[in-house]
Amino acid sequence: MSSPILEMRSITKTFPGVKALQDVTLEVTSGEIHAICGENGAGKSTLMKVLSGVYPHGSYTGEIMFDGEEVRFGSINDSEDKGIVIIHQELALVPYLSVAENIFLGNERQRGGLIDWNQTNADALDLLKEVGLDELPVTPVGALGVGKQQLVEIAKALSKKVRLLILDEPTAALNDSDSEHLLGLLRKLKERGITSIMISHKLNEIASIADSTTIIRDGQTIEKLDMRSGEVTQDRIIRGMVGRDLENRYPDHEPTIGDEVLRVEDWTVYHPTEPGRVVVDKANLTVRAGEIVGIAGLMGAGRTELAMSIFGRSYGSKATGKVFLHGKEISTKTVSEAISHGLAYATEDRKKYGLNLIEDVRTNISAASLGKISKAGWVNGNEEIQVAEGYRKSMNIKTSTVMTHTGKLSGGNQQKVVLSKWIYTAPEVLILDEPTRGIDVGAKYEIYTIINALADAGKAVILISSELPEVLGICDRIYTLAFGRITGQVDRSGATQESLMELMTQEKEPVR
């Protein structure tokens, strides 16, 4: 049996008023893929930041043994010098630099004291091929979607002499096929002797790839599971994470579906920097009151582009087609117009577009509806606090006060703040783009319950998701997109993952 490459002993990390980690132990065997599981806020990312030097030695208690020697990292550079590379959940890329420049930032390919651009681009191209990303090295990172940016982060990590690769939710932004590609890449790295630690909420992925799994709950190590035995089920992992059995991943729901609320006809969207390129091609869809309609498609199919363009032309250089609300054509040329007509859009990237992370929960919840709590241009602070407190309680946002900075909340609680913000606008149509991305199973269940309650209140809900089990588990009707075109629509009762995937990969005339 291989010896441990990493041992973390009695790690305790305290923030003002919060003990994030308490006597946590972690042992990782050389050459294995080790998973870390736990609910949002359990301390997983904090533990990895301690390991990688983001939280330097002296800011925590306990000891870290790497390759048989105690290490005391004062910075992330110190851990990288030892071959420990971390890819954070929040991508650390510069959008205005090229893919190649991002990959070798701080690790530049030089000749004679100058950057060797030919070598830089050639090496970047090799790394992009390794991670399966078909992009030119000179492409600006900001022009890529979040999933492709994740692959650039992986390529950046591989450019260093990595011995222990830490991935914090590496597949959260990827669809099933891209996730499988990434898991295959981890297996190849394992064959090369590279050890990996993967934090993930996708339990099916953990079951398929992990050699062992450590479960953390409320800042403490609960147990370590040997995944190679074949006896560890997803339900067993869930029980360790939440401290109880979660009998059904999706809450029971009997929909009451009413009249049509939203109709989109012949909606066509053009690329923002390539005006002649069609991204969404003559899409037609409807949503009724009390109905949860899913939109499923592979990365690049046009799901987010469709949603953002409908919501105030937030994407694209041009959009044509018609939008109807209760049978009456409306204009949604600006975000303000879309909101005024009762549309709301919760973005897939809550940290970049959905929230102001340096502001508190209170101001984030009221941000889209300041007119409701303002008079003569002045915000009524007391009323703003009362509104936010109401949502903190009703949405079960885990924070002691609405004055807490939103960036300090876990992913699940941040998502509840996003939903609170848009629910406060009193919308008739809610477009939810990847609402459970990067959220643990317990928090997902809460989000699903909120979505069902919105539908029961007569809202028309559009749910975009990369996870087919989620689409099948929560939606009443499902549209599929492929290459910018709607290729089918099916009721949940007649849909399977296989039938949806077949529609999601079709190249044919869109369904009218």
Side-chain angles (χ1 to χ4, degrees):
M1 183 176 178
S2 299
S3 59
I5 190 174
L6 173 70
E7 294 177 86
M8 302 183 76
R9 301 170 180 170
S10 301
I11 302 296
T12 298
K13 172 66 178 174
T14 302
F15 298 102
V18 179
K19 184 165 283 189
L21 300 171
Q22 183 172 356
D23 293 324
V24 172
T25 61
L26 176 69
E27 182 178 297
V28 180
T29 302
S30 179
E32 75 167 349
I33 299 174
H34 189 98
I36 299 180
C37 289
E39 293 188 274
N40 286 94
K44 309 180 298 296
S45 296
T46 301
L47 183 65
M48 292 300 98
K49 288 178 180 178
V50 166
L51 170 59
S52 60
V54 174
Y55 297 138
H57 182 264
S59 67
Y60 61 89
T61 61
E63 63 178 3
I64 302 173
M65 305 294 294
F66 185 70
D67 215 11
E69 298 180 355
E70 184 177 0
V71 291
R72 299 180 175 184
F73 300 136
S75 69
I76 196 167
N77 289 332
D78 293 342
S79 64
E80 288 186 351
D81 287 342
K82 286 286 188 179
I84 300 173
V85 179
I86 183 170
I87 300 174
H88 295 285
Q89 186 174 357
E90 297 86 8
L91 302 182
L93 299 172
V94 183
Y96 301 108
L97 296 182
S98 71
V99 169
E101 288 171 318
N102 271 279
I103 289 175
F104 295 111
L105 189 62
N107 185 31
E108 287 80 5
R109 300 300 192 248
Q110 298 184 24
R111 177 184 294 178
L114 300 175
I115 295 177
D116 186 338
W117 291 111
N118 289 334
Q119 190 65 51
T120 297
N121 289 324
D123 289 350
L125 189 60
D126 290 338
L127 288 166
L128 293 176
K129 289 179 180 177
E130 191 169 353
V131 300
L133 183 56
D134 185 20
E135 294 288 343
L136 294 174
V138 295
T139 303
V141 160
L144 304 180
V146 64
K148 290 183 178 181
Q149 289 186 23
Q150 177 68 73
L151 295 179
V152 173
E153 281 276 27
I154 305 264
K156 182 177 179 179
L158 295 179
S159 72
K160 303 167 184 177
K161 295 180 179 179
V162 58
R163 297 182 60 205
L164 174 62
L165 180 62
I166 305 166
L167 305 104
D168 193 350
E169 296 289 350
T171 64
L174 305 183
N175 58 36
D176 290 342
S177 61
D178 291 327
S179 295
E180 184 56 39
H181 173 80
L182 176 58
L183 298 183
L185 177 59
L186 292 183
R187 294 185 182 100
K188 290 179 181 178
L189 295 177
K190 176 182 174 181
E191 292 173 359
R192 288 164 46 182
I194 296 175
T195 307
S196 298
I197 297 176
M198 184 173 80
I199 299 174
S200 179
H201 292 125
K202 295 185 178 181
L203 302 186
N204 61 324
E205 293 181 354
I206 290 173
S208 71
I209 197 171
D211 298 304
S212 58
T213 297
T214 295
I215 296 176
I216 298 176
R217 185 170 74 234
D218 298 328
Q220 296 179 300
T221 302
I222 300 301
E223 58 186 332
K224 181 180 179 180
L225 302 172
D226 183 359
M227 307 298 290
R228 287 165 289 202
S229 67
E231 298 176 357
V232 179
T233 64
Q234 293 185 38
D235 289 339
R236 174 68 183 82
I237 298 173
I238 291 171
R239 187 163 68 249
M241 288 171 58
V242 303
R244 65 188 189 281
D245 289 319
L246 197 60
E247 296 179 359
N248 195 333
R249 308 278 181 88
Y250 306 98
D252 292 333
H253 184 235
E254 289 295 331
T256 302
I257 298 175
D259 296 332
E260 175 187 286
V261 176
L262 179 74
R263 183 168 81 253
V264 177
E265 291 185 354
D266 292 329
W267 196 254
T268 300
V269 182
Y270 295 84
H271 194 276
T273 59
E274 302 175 37
R277 176 181 163 194
V278 175
V279 179
V280 178
D281 188 6
K282 297 180 181 178
N284 294 276
L285 62 88
T286 61
V287 193
R288 294 169 288 178
E291 186 179 33
I292 304 172
V293 170
I295 297 181
L298 300 177
M299 185 181 296
R303 299 168 305 168
T304 294
E305 292 81 358
L306 171 63
M308 290 182 68
S309 61
I310 292 172
F311 186 70
R313 311 291 174 91
S314 302
Y315 174 89
S317 60
K318 183 176 68 172
T320 62
K322 297 180 180 180
V323 179
F324 297 86
L325 190 71
H326 298 297
K328 181 180 179 181
E329 186 175 358
I330 60 171
S331 173
T332 61
K333 291 183 178 179
T334 67
V335 170
S336 296
E337 273 191 327
I339 293 174
S340 68
H341 285 300
L343 272 62
Y345 172 64
T347 172
E348 67 171 336
D349 191 347
R350 59 178 173 267
K351 294 180 182 294
K352 184 175 181 180
Y353 298 117
L355 296 168
N356 185 339
L357 296 177
I358 63 174
E359 287 288 352
D360 52 38
V361 171
R362 171 199 56 166
T363 52
N364 272 281
I365 288 177
S366 64
S369 308
L370 289 175
K372 290 187 174 184
I373 53 172
S374 302
K375 188 174 182 180
W378 294 92
V379 174
N380 185 325
N382 290 331
E383 187 175 354
E384 187 179 37
I385 291 174
Q386 290 177 1
V387 169
E389 277 291 343
Y391 281 106
R392 182 182 72 86
K393 294 174 182 177
S394 65
M395 300 286 278
N396 192 28
I397 301 171
K398 295 179 181 177
T399 178
S400 58
T401 171
V402 295
M403 308 305 288
T404 301
H405 280 187
T406 311
K408 293 184 177 180
L409 302 183
S410 68
N413 287 300
Q414 287 181 358
Q415 191 62 36
K416 291 177 185 177
V417 174
V418 173
L419 292 175
S420 299
K421 175 179 74 173
W422 290 115
I423 292 171
Y424 184 46
T425 67
E428 294 193 62
V429 181
L430 284 101
I431 306 172
L432 308 178
D433 197 348
E434 302 284 5
T436 65
R437 172 173 287 168
I439 295 176
D440 65 78
V441 289
K444 280 185 177 183
Y445 192 91
E446 289 187 276
I447 297 295
Y448 297 146
T449 301
I450 292 168
I451 293 172
N452 286 341
L454 291 169
D456 290 342
K459 309 297 184 185
V461 180
I462 297 175
L463 175 71
I464 300 171
S465 177
S466 299
E467 299 184 32
L468 294 184
E470 180 172 81
V471 173
L472 292 167
I474 197 74
C475 297
D476 304 308
R477 188 162 52 91
I478 304 159
Y479 287 97
T480 55
L481 256 70
F483 308 102
R485 295 176 292 181
I486 291 180
T487 55
Q489 63 166 308
V490 293
D491 289 332
R492 175 171 58 177
S493 60
T496 64
Q497 291 192 55
E498 292 76 16
S499 65
L500 290 179
M501 184 59 70
E502 182 179 353
L503 290 168
M504 287 159 53
T505 54
Q506 277 188 9
E507 292 189 65
K508 67 176 186 179
E509 288 301 310
V511 175
R512 299 298 180 185

